[in-house]
Amino acid sequence: MVQDTFGALQDFRLASGKSSRFYSLAALEAAGLGRISRLPVSLRIVLEAVLRNCDGRKLTAEHVHQLAAWQPNAPRTAEIPFVVARIVLQDFTGVPLLCDLAAMRGVAQRFGRNPKIVEPLVPVDLVVDHSVQVDHYGVADALDLNMRLEFRRNAERYRFIKWGMQAFDSFRVVPPGIGIVHQVNLEYLARGVLHKDGITYPDTLVGTDSHTTMINALGVVGWGVGGIEAEAGMLGQPLVFLTPDVVGVHLHGRLAEGATATDLVLHVTERLRQAQVVGKFVEFFGAGAASLSLPDRATIANMAPEYGATMGFFPPDAETVKYLAATGRSAEEIDAFQSYFTAQGLFGMPAAGAIDYSAEIDFDLAAVRPGVAGPKRPQDRIDLEQLGRRFAELFTLPVAQNGYGRSADEMERRHALGAPAAAVVAPEAAPAAGRTLRNEVEMADHPRAAVSPAPTLEPPPTPAAADIGHGDVLIAAITSCTNTSNPGVMLAAGLLAQKAVALGLAVGPRVKTSLAPGSRVVTNYLAKAGLLGDLEALGFRVVAYGCTTCIGNAGPLAAPLEEAIAAHDLVCAAVLSGNRNFEARIHPALKANFLMSPPLVVAFAIAGRVDLDLTRESLGTGRDGRPVMLRDIWPSTQEIAAAMHHATDPATYRALYADFARGNPLWNEIPVDAGQVYVWEPSSYIAEPPFFKDFALTPGRVATIRGARALAIFGDSVTTDHISPAGSIKPDSPAGQYLLAQSVAVGDFNSYGSRRGNHEVMMRGTFANVRIRNLMLAANADGSRVEGGLTRFQPGGEAMAIYAAAMKYQAAGTPTLVFAGAEYGTGSSRDWAAKGPRLLGVRAVVAQSFERIHRSNLVGMGVLPLQFRAGDSVATLGIVGDEEFDLIGIDGELRPRQEVVLAIRRPGGGRQKLMLELRVDTPVEVDYLRHGGILPYVLRGLLTAS
């Protein structure tokens, strides 16, 4: 039913002469609700959604008034209930979400209700992109081999996904082998504006991946949330958040010759982290923003989680329209997009002074310099010429100062590999002549696009690897939607490879090379530009169309390399065009991981080391015996522009996104189970989640926590990768031992990410990251901390796995707490980083500060997020882990941001009390806690309403 509480529903005319209706924001301003034309564009789009969905119940006129009257620097106490137009998922988060929905249908049936009351009310797209791993690389059929392994390992998961396709009416799936969720969303799923009941309105969304923000480049309001919050949104619950501060970033100037979009986003990430934009909307404006291509904007928007913002938003303008046309959207869609935003007064990049922001940051594009980020965090940017010097500094810096704590004389040592030289071989060289057809599984439904011929001048044969040392590059991956969605940097990588091959340069045998584009469009335009063969000649053959190395699916290194790293405790490196480089995320054996542009990935693969200055030192020796410098092969802006037309062919986008099932035999062979309620079968991948085991229509109450123990104490910047890793499962870990007990062979372990549909694996994998450091364990003699998922069980202090200790505490009826420093839960929107602790019996997390999504996820699982007051911390309070704790003041009527008393009892009899802040930010979050989490809250509402 169409609502029009404020009389704002009006007609507007399209360029085609047709007309449509829309909710006019200008009408609100004319009615005196506020200076809406001065609001940030992103807030105005949210306001339109609140206005359009104003039903007097969940969204009221008061909500419209509050947001319309937004002030740049007012206290943030008002809630915004936001109803999004659609939801996107990737499979690592989508499968556990589907498990929850299936379990909720089972509960509905148990209570005698129609299971179909659990049904998404908005369109949902799941893109299967996170499961493929780089097992094969550098060979002509690597893509086919990796996909076949992917389907063998994940057959149970994919069968479950197919059940969801037939069980839920508005649930669509983009199958494996198509691309990465955010690039697919940018190139295809986002249609500009949407239409319902004769009304046109903006596309808005949330996604169960933090990099959902990439879509902000299209002028689409959207961000990442946890799976549990997305489920609530699917089932009709508005996403409720506090009115945000909006930081305007004034871009001016132009990028200098040689600087890439990747260099720009690493500068932006560094600068905005320093500006502390965590939890705020960031909106770019000014002539510099208008000058950026849309793919460059997408690169910046993609990394909003890395600079901490909720969004990195670019208002819609002519460049947006140009991109929609180049990527195959229809003339009708483009007309509707431009006409709508023009009628709404939102079309065009705002100039300086046009918008009232909470704060403004000035950013000169001309100041951007080539660089990388790492080795452990994406905000730690390093100028390219400083990388060698910085690596040497970190090598000797104490571990307590985030270094590696080694002596300088170790840097130059080389270590012979213990295996025969033939055991570590170079990637297969490109064919000398002829053309190689691409993978039949991937291309069966399209015209046979052949790769470009191998260059006439082939690189010299590469000998097998004989030794290894600190600073060696062992993984070089062109990966991640952050950069593979950007033709400028991808063509630059191909042009650099072309010049390198022509001069006789090659990639050494230690380096595992891979090319994993975010869509099939990339290989199409690289082939048409005559550059794919040159990348292949350097080992960068297509290994997958999925996240791969960026999510932690880099696959194994050659056994002799991993053995040598362990034997000599080597600090070796990965170079990748990804967005995250947290510890142990890329590969458990690699301690230094550097983010960089695709052309720099190719350059460092050739150099084979990171302990050098590529602006002054050579990449290698050419065929003529002369040193080759990076500047000798770096492509110019003009060269990139000359190749760009290959990447802007609308017909290519339409053809490659026309039909996902046709010509996809591996996907089509997966059987489909029928039925509206899932029949749970024994599986190490898919299991009924235990969150509704004792579900009742009446919620319990939040009780005082007494006699709690510390399960773990962590320092600063503990990521969701630390809490719930996505990568490989070690056989001697609790999860590995569980899988072995289920008769799963080590070779079939797959990854934690792929097993998120099974809580037994995931709760054992909680806090199992090989680089996590629990401060309850004494430091080593050199000051370094013990790594791995260990703790000390109290009383007594026995060292054991965190999972084992948690089970002992639960058996004894002892609640547990987790303590941490600043930025707890930074990184991915990983709901298992909240689900896992909940299943381990963690009642509260006490930290100096929380990252936005993870704090919300803790609340969504009924775990209390508690924040130290300024000046208090684990260190200042002397908390070591042998204490007992009470949390007092949570058993009454909870309020947002209320005070909670932490009472500490020490073994020697000492006692201390201090105040904590309950980081429950809105009244609806109080309801979630009272119900034991957001899903029980939503399910009780559905059952009651039915």
Side-chain angles (χ1 to χ4, degrees), residues 682-731:
S683 167
S684 61
Y685 277 101
I686 304 297
E688 184 174 10
F691 307 117
F692 306 101
K693 183 179 179 182
D694 299 315
F695 181 84
L697 285 176
T698 303
R701 64 184 187 89
V702 180
T704 296
I705 297 171
R706 297 192 182 278
R709 291 288 186 176
L711 185 62
I713 300 173
F714 301 119
D716 295 340
S717 298
V718 169
T719 71
T720 52
D721 282 273
H722 285 120
I723 304 167
S724 182
S728 58
I729 302 171
K730 297 176 73 69

Short mmCIF file of all heavy atoms in Angstrom, two decimals, residues 682-731:
data_model
loop_
_atom_site.label_atom_id
_atom_site.label_comp_id
_atom_site.label_asym_id
_atom_site.label_seq_id
_atom_site.Cartn_x
_atom_site.Cartn_y
_atom_site.Cartn_z
N PRO A 682 23.38 -35.95 8.47
CA PRO A 682 24.75 -35.88 9.00
C PRO A 682 25.70 -35.28 7.97
O PRO A 682 25.73 -35.70 6.81
CB PRO A 682 25.08 -37.34 9.29
CG PRO A 682 23.76 -38.02 9.47
CD PRO A 682 22.82 -37.31 8.54
N SER A 683 26.45 -34.26 8.37
CA SER A 683 27.34 -33.57 7.45
C SER A 683 28.37 -32.80 8.26
O SER A 683 28.05 -32.23 9.30
CB SER A 683 26.56 -32.61 6.55
OG SER A 683 27.43 -31.73 5.86
N SER A 684 29.60 -32.76 7.77
CA SER A 684 30.62 -31.94 8.42
C SER A 684 30.63 -30.52 7.86
O SER A 684 31.42 -29.69 8.29
CB SER A 684 32.01 -32.59 8.25
OG SER A 684 32.34 -32.70 6.87
N TYR A 685 29.74 -30.25 6.90
CA TYR A 685 29.62 -28.91 6.32
C TYR A 685 28.36 -28.18 6.77
O TYR A 685 28.39 -26.99 7.03
CB TYR A 685 29.61 -28.99 4.78
CG TYR A 685 30.97 -29.07 4.15
CD1 TYR A 685 31.47 -30.29 3.70
CD2 TYR A 685 31.76 -27.94 3.99
CE1 TYR A 685 32.72 -30.37 3.09
CE2 TYR A 685 33.01 -28.01 3.40
CZ TYR A 685 33.49 -29.23 2.94
OH TYR A 685 34.73 -29.30 2.37
N ILE A 686 27.24 -28.90 6.81
CA ILE A 686 25.94 -28.29 7.08
C ILE A 686 25.32 -28.97 8.29
O ILE A 686 25.15 -30.19 8.31
CB ILE A 686 24.99 -28.43 5.87
CG1 ILE A 686 25.63 -27.85 4.60
CG2 ILE A 686 23.66 -27.78 6.16
CD1 ILE A 686 25.91 -26.37 4.66
N ALA A 687 25.01 -28.18 9.31
CA ALA A 687 24.39 -28.74 10.51
C ALA A 687 23.37 -27.74 11.05
O ALA A 687 23.52 -26.52 10.88
CB ALA A 687 25.44 -29.04 11.58
N GLU A 688 22.33 -28.26 11.70
CA GLU A 688 21.32 -27.38 12.28
C GLU A 688 21.95 -26.54 13.39
O GLU A 688 22.50 -27.09 14.35
CB GLU A 688 20.15 -28.18 12.85
CG GLU A 688 19.04 -27.31 13.38
CD GLU A 688 17.81 -28.11 13.80
OE1 GLU A 688 17.90 -29.36 13.84
OE2 GLU A 688 16.78 -27.48 14.09
N PRO A 689 21.92 -25.21 13.28
CA PRO A 689 22.55 -24.37 14.31
C PRO A 689 21.83 -24.50 15.64
O PRO A 689 20.61 -24.68 15.68
CB PRO A 689 22.43 -22.95 13.74
CG PRO A 689 21.34 -23.02 12.73
CD PRO A 689 21.33 -24.42 12.18
N PRO A 690 22.57 -24.42 16.76
CA PRO A 690 21.97 -24.67 18.08
C PRO A 690 21.32 -23.45 18.71
O PRO A 690 20.85 -23.53 19.84
CB PRO A 690 23.19 -25.10 18.90
CG PRO A 690 24.33 -24.33 18.30
CD PRO A 690 24.03 -24.22 16.82
N PHE A 691 21.25 -22.33 17.98
CA PHE A 691 20.80 -21.08 18.59
C PHE A 691 19.31 -21.09 18.95
O PHE A 691 18.85 -20.24 19.71
CB PHE A 691 21.11 -19.90 17.66
CG PHE A 691 22.55 -19.86 17.23
CD1 PHE A 691 22.90 -20.00 15.89
CD2 PHE A 691 23.56 -19.72 18.17
CE1 PHE A 691 24.22 -19.97 15.50
CE2 PHE A 691 24.88 -19.70 17.79
CZ PHE A 691 25.23 -19.83 16.45
N PHE A 692 18.54 -22.04 18.39
CA PHE A 692 17.10 -22.10 18.69
C PHE A 692 16.75 -23.39 19.44
O PHE A 692 15.59 -23.78 19.49
CB PHE A 692 16.30 -22.04 17.39
CG PHE A 692 16.63 -20.84 16.54
CD1 PHE A 692 17.47 -20.98 15.44
CD2 PHE A 692 16.13 -19.59 16.84
CE1 PHE A 692 17.79 -19.89 14.66
CE2 PHE A 692 16.45 -18.49 16.05
CZ PHE A 692 17.29 -18.64 14.96
N LYS A 693 17.74 -24.00 20.04
CA LYS A 693 17.55 -25.31 20.67
C LYS A 693 16.49 -25.27 21.77
O LYS A 693 15.60 -26.13 21.83
CB LYS A 693 18.88 -25.80 21.25
CG LYS A 693 18.81 -27.18 21.87
CD LYS A 693 20.18 -27.61 22.40
CE LYS A 693 20.11 -28.98 23.05
NZ LYS A 693 21.43 -29.38 23.60
N ASP A 694 16.55 -24.28 22.65
CA ASP A 694 15.59 -24.17 23.75
C ASP A 694 14.68 -22.97 23.55
O ASP A 694 14.27 -22.31 24.51
CB ASP A 694 16.34 -24.06 25.09
CG ASP A 694 17.21 -25.28 25.35
OD1 ASP A 694 16.72 -26.40 25.14
OD2 ASP A 694 18.37 -25.09 25.75
N PHE A 695 14.33 -22.71 22.30
CA PHE A 695 13.55 -21.52 21.98
C PHE A 695 12.16 -21.58 22.62
O PHE A 695 11.49 -22.60 22.59
CB PHE A 695 13.41 -21.38 20.47
CG PHE A 695 12.64 -20.17 20.03
CD1 PHE A 695 13.27 -18.94 19.90
CD2 PHE A 695 11.28 -20.24 19.76
CE1 PHE A 695 12.56 -17.81 19.50
CE2 PHE A 695 10.57 -19.13 19.36
CZ PHE A 695 11.21 -17.91 19.23
N ALA A 696 11.76 -20.45 23.20
CA ALA A 696 10.42 -20.30 23.77
C ALA A 696 9.83 -18.98 23.29
O ALA A 696 10.56 -18.07 22.91
CB ALA A 696 10.47 -20.33 25.30
N LEU A 697 8.50 -18.90 23.32
CA LEU A 697 7.86 -17.67 22.84
C LEU A 697 8.11 -16.49 23.76
O LEU A 697 8.04 -15.34 23.34
CB LEU A 697 6.35 -17.90 22.69
CG LEU A 697 5.92 -18.73 21.48
CD1 LEU A 697 4.42 -18.96 21.51
CD2 LEU A 697 6.33 -18.05 20.19
N THR A 698 8.41 -16.76 25.02
CA THR A 698 8.68 -15.69 25.98
C THR A 698 10.18 -15.63 26.25
O THR A 698 10.79 -16.65 26.60
CB THR A 698 7.93 -15.93 27.30
OG1 THR A 698 6.54 -16.06 27.03
CG2 THR A 698 8.17 -14.79 28.27
N PRO A 699 10.80 -14.47 26.10
CA PRO A 699 12.24 -14.38 26.33
C PRO A 699 12.58 -14.49 27.81
O PRO A 699 11.74 -14.22 28.69
CB PRO A 699 12.60 -12.99 25.79
CG PRO A 699 11.35 -12.19 25.91
CD PRO A 699 10.23 -13.18 25.68
N GLY A 700 13.82 -14.86 28.08
CA GLY A 700 14.31 -14.85 29.45
C GLY A 700 14.71 -13.44 29.84
O GLY A 700 14.23 -12.45 29.30
N ARG A 701 15.63 -13.32 30.79
CA ARG A 701 16.08 -11.99 31.19
C ARG A 701 17.60 -11.99 31.29
O ARG A 701 18.24 -13.03 31.48
CB ARG A 701 15.45 -11.57 32.52
CG ARG A 701 15.86 -12.43 33.71
CD ARG A 701 15.11 -12.02 34.98
NE ARG A 701 15.62 -12.74 36.15
CZ ARG A 701 16.62 -12.31 36.90
NH1 ARG A 701 17.22 -11.17 36.60
NH2 ARG A 701 17.04 -13.01 37.94
N VAL A 702 18.16 -10.81 31.18
CA VAL A 702 19.61 -10.66 31.33
C VAL A 702 19.90 -10.65 32.82
O VAL A 702 19.35 -9.84 33.57
CB VAL A 702 20.10 -9.36 30.67
CG1 VAL A 702 21.60 -9.22 30.83
CG2 VAL A 702 19.72 -9.34 29.20
N ALA A 703 20.77 -11.55 33.26
CA ALA A 703 21.04 -11.69 34.69
C ALA A 703 22.44 -11.19 35.01
O ALA A 703 23.34 -11.15 34.16
CB ALA A 703 20.91 -13.16 35.10
N THR A 704 22.63 -10.81 36.26
CA THR A 704 23.96 -10.43 36.75
C THR A 704 24.93 -11.58 36.52
O THR A 704 24.59 -12.76 36.71
CB THR A 704 23.89 -10.08 38.25
OG1 THR A 704 23.05 -8.94 38.40
CG2 THR A 704 25.27 -9.79 38.81
N ILE A 705 26.13 -11.24 36.12
CA ILE A 705 27.17 -12.24 35.88
C ILE A 705 28.09 -12.26 37.09
O ILE A 705 28.69 -11.23 37.45
CB ILE A 705 27.95 -11.92 34.59
CG1 ILE A 705 27.01 -11.97 33.38
CG2 ILE A 705 29.13 -12.87 34.41
CD1 ILE A 705 27.63 -11.46 32.10
N ARG A 706 28.22 -13.42 37.73
CA ARG A 706 29.05 -13.53 38.94
C ARG A 706 30.03 -14.70 38.79
O ARG A 706 29.72 -15.72 38.19
CB ARG A 706 28.19 -13.74 40.18
CG ARG A 706 27.26 -12.57 40.46
CD ARG A 706 26.62 -12.66 41.83
NE ARG A 706 25.70 -11.56 42.08
CZ ARG A 706 26.06 -10.35 42.49
NH1 ARG A 706 27.35 -10.10 42.72
NH2 ARG A 706 25.16 -9.40 42.69
N GLY A 707 31.20 -14.51 39.33
CA GLY A 707 32.21 -15.56 39.34
C GLY A 707 32.77 -15.89 37.98
O GLY A 707 33.18 -17.02 37.74
N ALA A 708 32.79 -14.89 37.09
CA ALA A 708 33.28 -15.15 35.72
C ALA A 708 34.81 -15.23 35.71
O ALA A 708 35.49 -14.66 36.56
CB ALA A 708 32.80 -14.05 34.79
N ARG A 709 35.30 -15.93 34.70
CA ARG A 709 36.75 -16.04 34.48
C ARG A 709 37.11 -15.43 33.12
O ARG A 709 36.25 -15.34 32.22
CB ARG A 709 37.17 -17.50 34.50
CG ARG A 709 37.08 -18.18 35.84
CD ARG A 709 38.16 -17.70 36.79
NE ARG A 709 38.18 -18.44 38.05
CZ ARG A 709 39.10 -18.26 39.01
NH1 ARG A 709 40.06 -17.36 38.82
NH2 ARG A 709 39.04 -18.96 40.12
N ALA A 710 38.33 -15.02 33.00
CA ALA A 710 38.83 -14.50 31.72
C ALA A 710 39.20 -15.68 30.82
O ALA A 710 40.07 -16.48 31.18
CB ALA A 710 40.04 -13.61 31.94
N LEU A 711 38.52 -15.78 29.69
CA LEU A 711 38.88 -16.83 28.73
C LEU A 711 40.13 -16.43 27.95
O LEU A 711 40.95 -17.27 27.60
CB LEU A 711 37.72 -17.08 27.76
CG LEU A 711 37.89 -18.21 26.77
CD1 LEU A 711 38.06 -19.56 27.49
CD2 LEU A 711 36.71 -18.28 25.81
N ALA A 712 40.26 -15.14 27.70
CA ALA A 712 41.44 -14.64 26.98
C ALA A 712 41.58 -13.15 27.23
O ALA A 712 40.60 -12.45 27.52
CB ALA A 712 41.31 -14.92 25.48
N ILE A 713 42.81 -12.66 27.09
CA ILE A 713 43.12 -11.24 27.18
C ILE A 713 43.96 -10.89 25.94
O ILE A 713 45.02 -11.48 25.72
CB ILE A 713 43.90 -10.89 28.46
CG1 ILE A 713 43.10 -11.25 29.70
CG2 ILE A 713 44.28 -9.41 28.47
CD1 ILE A 713 43.88 -11.09 31.00
N PHE A 714 43.47 -9.95 25.16
CA PHE A 714 44.15 -9.59 23.92
C PHE A 714 44.57 -8.12 23.95
O PHE A 714 44.06 -7.32 24.73
CB PHE A 714 43.22 -9.83 22.72
CG PHE A 714 42.77 -11.25 22.58
CD1 PHE A 714 41.41 -11.56 22.65
CD2 PHE A 714 43.67 -12.28 22.40
CE1 PHE A 714 40.98 -12.87 22.53
CE2 PHE A 714 43.25 -13.60 22.28
CZ PHE A 714 41.89 -13.89 22.35
N GLY A 715 45.47 -7.78 23.04
CA GLY A 715 45.92 -6.40 22.90
C GLY A 715 45.07 -5.64 21.92
O GLY A 715 43.88 -5.91 21.73
N ASP A 716 45.68 -4.66 21.24
CA ASP A 716 44.97 -3.82 20.29
C ASP A 716 44.81 -4.50 18.94
O ASP A 716 45.54 -5.43 18.60
CB ASP A 716 45.74 -2.50 20.08
CG ASP A 716 45.80 -1.64 21.32
OD1 ASP A 716 44.97 -1.84 22.23
OD2 ASP A 716 46.70 -0.76 21.40
N SER A 717 43.85 -3.99 18.17
CA SER A 717 43.65 -4.35 16.75
C SER A 717 43.48 -5.85 16.54
O SER A 717 44.00 -6.43 15.59
CB SER A 717 44.83 -3.84 15.89
OG SER A 717 44.90 -2.43 15.95
N VAL A 718 42.76 -6.49 17.46
CA VAL A 718 42.39 -7.89 17.24
C VAL A 718 41.30 -7.92 16.18
O VAL A 718 40.25 -7.29 16.34
CB VAL A 718 41.92 -8.55 18.54
CG1 VAL A 718 41.30 -9.91 18.28
CG2 VAL A 718 43.08 -8.68 19.51
N THR A 719 41.56 -8.63 15.10
CA THR A 719 40.64 -8.62 13.96
C THR A 719 39.67 -9.79 14.04
O THR A 719 39.87 -10.75 14.80
CB THR A 719 41.42 -8.71 12.64
OG1 THR A 719 41.98 -10.03 12.51
CG2 THR A 719 42.55 -7.68 12.59
N THR A 720 38.64 -9.72 13.23
CA THR A 720 37.73 -10.85 13.14
C THR A 720 38.42 -12.06 12.53
O THR A 720 37.99 -13.19 12.74
CB THR A 720 36.48 -10.49 12.33
OG1 THR A 720 36.86 -9.93 11.07
CG2 THR A 720 35.62 -9.49 13.08
N ASP A 721 39.52 -11.85 11.79
CA ASP A 721 40.34 -12.98 11.33
C ASP A 721 41.02 -13.67 12.50
O ASP A 721 41.18 -14.89 12.51
CB ASP A 721 41.41 -12.51 10.34
CG ASP A 721 40.86 -12.27 8.96
OD1 ASP A 721 40.82 -13.24 8.19
OD2 ASP A 721 40.48 -11.14 8.64
N HIS A 722 41.45 -12.89 13.49
CA HIS A 722 42.03 -13.49 14.69
C HIS A 722 40.96 -14.30 15.45
O HIS A 722 41.23 -15.40 15.95
CB HIS A 722 42.57 -12.40 15.62
CG HIS A 722 43.85 -11.78 15.18
ND1 HIS A 722 43.97 -10.44 14.92
CD2 HIS A 722 45.07 -12.31 14.94
CE1 HIS A 722 45.21 -10.16 14.56
NE2 HIS A 722 45.90 -11.29 14.56
N ILE A 723 39.76 -13.72 15.55
CA ILE A 723 38.72 -14.34 16.36
C ILE A 723 38.15 -15.58 15.67
O ILE A 723 37.94 -16.62 16.30
CB ILE A 723 37.59 -13.33 16.65
CG1 ILE A 723 38.15 -12.08 17.32
CG2 ILE A 723 36.51 -13.97 17.52
CD1 ILE A 723 37.18 -10.91 17.35
N SER A 724 37.89 -15.46 14.37
CA SER A 724 37.29 -16.57 13.62
C SER A 724 37.97 -16.65 12.25
O SER A 724 37.51 -16.03 11.30
CB SER A 724 35.78 -16.36 13.47
OG SER A 724 35.20 -17.45 12.77
N PRO A 725 39.07 -17.37 12.15
CA PRO A 725 39.82 -17.40 10.88
C PRO A 725 38.99 -18.00 9.75
O PRO A 725 38.07 -18.79 9.97
CB PRO A 725 41.04 -18.25 11.22
CG PRO A 725 40.66 -19.05 12.41
CD PRO A 725 39.69 -18.21 13.18
N ALA A 726 39.35 -17.60 8.53
CA ALA A 726 38.66 -18.11 7.34
C ALA A 726 39.50 -19.12 6.58
O ALA A 726 38.99 -19.84 5.74
CB ALA A 726 38.29 -16.96 6.41
N GLY A 727 40.79 -19.18 6.89
CA GLY A 727 41.72 -19.96 6.08
C GLY A 727 41.82 -21.42 6.47
O GLY A 727 40.86 -22.04 6.95
N SER A 728 42.99 -21.98 6.27
CA SER A 728 43.19 -23.42 6.40
C SER A 728 43.04 -23.91 7.84
O SER A 728 43.25 -23.16 8.79
CB SER A 728 44.58 -23.80 5.87
OG SER A 728 45.58 -23.11 6.58
N ILE A 729 42.69 -25.17 7.97
CA ILE A 729 42.48 -25.82 9.26
C ILE A 729 43.66 -26.74 9.52
O ILE A 729 43.94 -27.65 8.74
CB ILE A 729 41.17 -26.62 9.27
CG1 ILE A 729 39.97 -25.71 8.94
CG2 ILE A 729 40.96 -27.33 10.61
CD1 ILE A 729 38.67 -26.44 8.72
N LYS A 730 44.36 -26.52 10.62
CA LYS A 730 45.52 -27.36 10.94
C LYS A 730 45.05 -28.68 11.57
O LYS A 730 44.14 -28.70 12.40
CB LYS A 730 46.46 -26.62 11.91
CG LYS A 730 47.07 -25.36 11.31
CD LYS A 730 47.90 -24.60 12.32
CE LYS A 730 49.22 -25.31 12.62
NZ LYS A 730 50.13 -25.27 11.46
N PRO A 731 45.68 -29.78 11.20
CA PRO A 731 45.24 -31.09 11.72
C PRO A 731 45.32 -31.20 13.24
O PRO A 731 44.51 -31.91 13.85
CB PRO A 731 46.21 -32.07 11.05
CG PRO A 731 46.66 -31.38 9.81
CD PRO A 731 46.72 -29.92 10.16
#
